[in-house]
Amino acid sequence: MPHLRPGGFVTPRRDKRPLPRIPVPAARAVVDCAVYVNGDRRPGRVSYREALHEVRASGEGYVWLGLHSPDDEQMQDVGRVFGLHELVVEDAVNAHQRPKLEVYDDTQFLVLRTVKYVEHESMDKASEVVETGEIMIFVGPDFVITVRHGDHTHLSGLRRRLEARPTRLELGPTAVLHAISDLVVDSYLAVTDRMETDIVAIESSVFGTQRSLNIDPVYLLKREVLELRRAVTPLTGPLARLTADNPMVPKEIRRHFRDVADHLTTVIDRVVEYDEVLTSLLGAAAAKVGIQQNTDMRKISSWVAIAAVPTLVAGIYGMNFEYMPELDERWGYPTVIVGLLVACSALWVILRRHHWL
């Protein structure tokens, strides 16, 4: 640590060893925590320890804890309180997980990839179209924990909407699991609707009449569609398990999950279609670029051919031989110039008729 010398001057710290890391309390990662009994939220703010103790002491209701980007120590503390398996605690800290559903004893662990459409003026100026994040959900008999990674994965609005409908929350923690899954899949639909506009714009530019074509937006959108495909396609397996006979999911909730699965099927069909369309557009764009290059090469070759005529004549008369035709004639130079102009003009007309110029 720096210390004061006589006179008030601060001397730098000479010890180069790293300073010990000060743990950040798990409460710093808590976005919201509440107890719900018969679908109604209990008033007041409580810690997740107090909330879980209240639920288990009374034997009714459940806890909904929301976390945002917790670190390892914060998540381990939450895991100890709620009795989470160490493997899922580790997964909750490390983002970039594939969508999956895992069951540990009486706890279900669902990973969802979230997507957000990035606004841009045009595809030529865009650097990103889809921004991704993650929501991880732990569902137990008397608790539901949501862990969010990303700045756009807000759930506060969803919580307020559910609190306005106590009959949904009354169905238990799996009702929250369904509501979050439905929200995420609906966002997939919204993103695919916006991406369709970009694909139409690119299609118009590829098959348009303009001579120049920038192929970079096609590659960019192809990459973004592949990223969206990686986010949505693996979710089919978890939703199939949630819609099948599952003693951990009430029958009424399973019916709602079937609707989410139908929406996901629609999203996957769109993404596959977009992928195929962009593949075709890439081929068409590459062919158009090749045609443009061939056209440019023909024009270059045409001008080279025209320039070769005076170059040939100048090369012949530049050999510095003493006896060459018309060197001593006054009309020799004008005749050569006129001959060159006639020959170059004739070549230009011929190449123009063949659409090389």
Side-chain angles (χ1 to χ4, degrees):
M1 294 289 294
H3 61 278
L4 292 176
R5 297 177 56 190
F9 296 100
V10 178
T11 58
R13 179 175 178 267
R14 298 183 181 277
D15 187 1
K16 299 300 182 181
R17 291 177 299 177
L19 292 172
R21 182 178 178 276
I22 301 176
V24 179
R28 295 285 184 87
V30 175
V31 178
D32 198 357
C33 180
V35 174
Y36 296 87
V37 179
N38 297 325
D40 295 320
R41 176 170 179 159
R42 288 286 179 87
R45 296 182 60 87
V46 293
S47 67
Y48 53 85
R49 287 186 179 86
E50 296 171 343
L52 186 62
H53 176 73
E54 177 183 343
V55 167
R56 292 182 174 175
S58 64
E60 58 180 6
Y62 60 92
V63 180
W64 182 356
L65 170 64
L67 303 173
H68 182 257
S69 300
D71 60 24
D72 186 59
E73 294 182 4
Q74 293 170 338
M75 197 63 214
Q76 284 183 6
D77 184 67
V78 173
R80 285 190 295 268
V81 172
F82 286 88
L84 304 178
H85 195 278
E86 59 181 6
L87 293 178
V88 292
V89 171
E90 181 180 352
D91 286 345
V93 176
N94 300 322
H96 309 293
Q97 300 284 332
R98 285 173 56 88
K100 62 181 180 179
L101 175 64
E102 296 179 351
V103 178
Y104 294 85
D105 299 327
D106 58 353
T107 301
Q108 299 180 90
F109 175 62
L110 178 64
V111 178
L112 299 171
R113 295 293 301 276
T114 60
V115 296
K116 176 188 176 183
Y117 183 82
V118 179
E119 298 291 342
H120 48 270
E121 183 178 348
S122 67
M123 286 302 302
D124 291 332
K125 299 180 180 179
S127 59
E128 187 180 20
V129 177
V130 175
E131 180 182 339
T132 61
E134 288 184 35
I135 296 179
M136 303 173 182
I137 311 167
F138 300 87
V139 179
D142 52 7
F143 66 86
V144 55
I145 304 172
T146 58
V147 181
R148 300 187 291 109
H149 292 276
D151 296 329
H152 65 276
T153 55
H154 301 293
L155 296 178
S156 56
L158 174 65
R159 187 188 285 255
R160 288 193 296 269
R161 290 194 297 272
L162 288 176
E163 290 175 352
R165 301 173 60 187
T167 54
R168 291 292 303 277
L169 289 175
E170 191 177 2
L171 296 174
T174 53
V176 178
L177 177 67
H178 161 262
I180 297 174
S181 302
D182 187 44
L183 176 68
V184 171
V185 174
D186 285 346
S187 70
Y188 295 162
L189 288 170
V191 169
T192 54
D193 287 340
R194 302 292 299 276
M195 293 183 73
E196 184 176 5
T197 304
D198 293 329
I199 292 176
V200 171
I202 288 180
E203 189 174 9
S204 300
S205 66
V206 169
F207 296 108
T209 57
Q210 69 274 17
R211 295 181 64 254
S212 61
L213 173 63
N214 183 12
I215 199 173
D216 291 340
V218 188
Y219 284 107
L220 170 63
L221 196 55
K222 175 74 171 178
R223 183 195 68 191
E224 298 297 288
V225 168
L226 290 177
E227 184 174 0
L228 180 61
R229 188 172 186 173
R230 287 192 294 267
V232 304
T233 303
L235 188 57
T236 54
L239 286 182
R241 294 174 59 185
L242 290 170
T243 55
D245 291 338
N246 186 345
M248 304 180 70
V249 181
K251 183 177 181 179
E252 182 66 23
I253 300 298
R254 291 203 301 268
R255 292 174 179 172
H256 290 292
F257 269 118
R258 292 191 186 99
D259 182 64
V260 177
D262 290 340
H263 289 173
L264 181 66
T265 301
T266 302
V267 172
I268 293 176
D269 290 342
R270 289 184 183 181
V271 172
V272 171
E273 179 186 356
Y274 294 167
D275 192 20
E276 293 175 352
V277 169
L278 287 171
T279 300
S280 301
L281 289 177
L282 277 177
K288 189 171 183 179
V289 170
I291 293 173
Q292 291 176 354
Q293 292 176 345
N294 290 337
T295 302
D296 294 339
M297 288 302 298
R298 287 194 302 179
K299 290 183 178 181
I300 294 172
S301 300
S302 299
W303 287 112
V304 170
I306 294 174
V309 175
T311 302
L312 175 64
V313 175
I316 292 174
Y317 279 91
M319 291 188 295
N320 296 323
F321 287 108
E322 183 177 354
Y323 301 102
M324 295 186 70
E326 292 83 27
L327 286 179
D328 296 331
E329 302 295 338
R330 290 186 177 182
W331 45 265
Y333 177 75
T335 301
V336 171
I337 296 300
V338 171
L340 290 177
L341 291 175
V342 171
C344 292
S345 299
L347 275 176
W348 185 87
V349 171
I350 293 172
L351 294 172
R352 184 76 173 181
R353 286 180 178 177
H354 288 81
H355 305 289
W356 279 51
L357 287 174

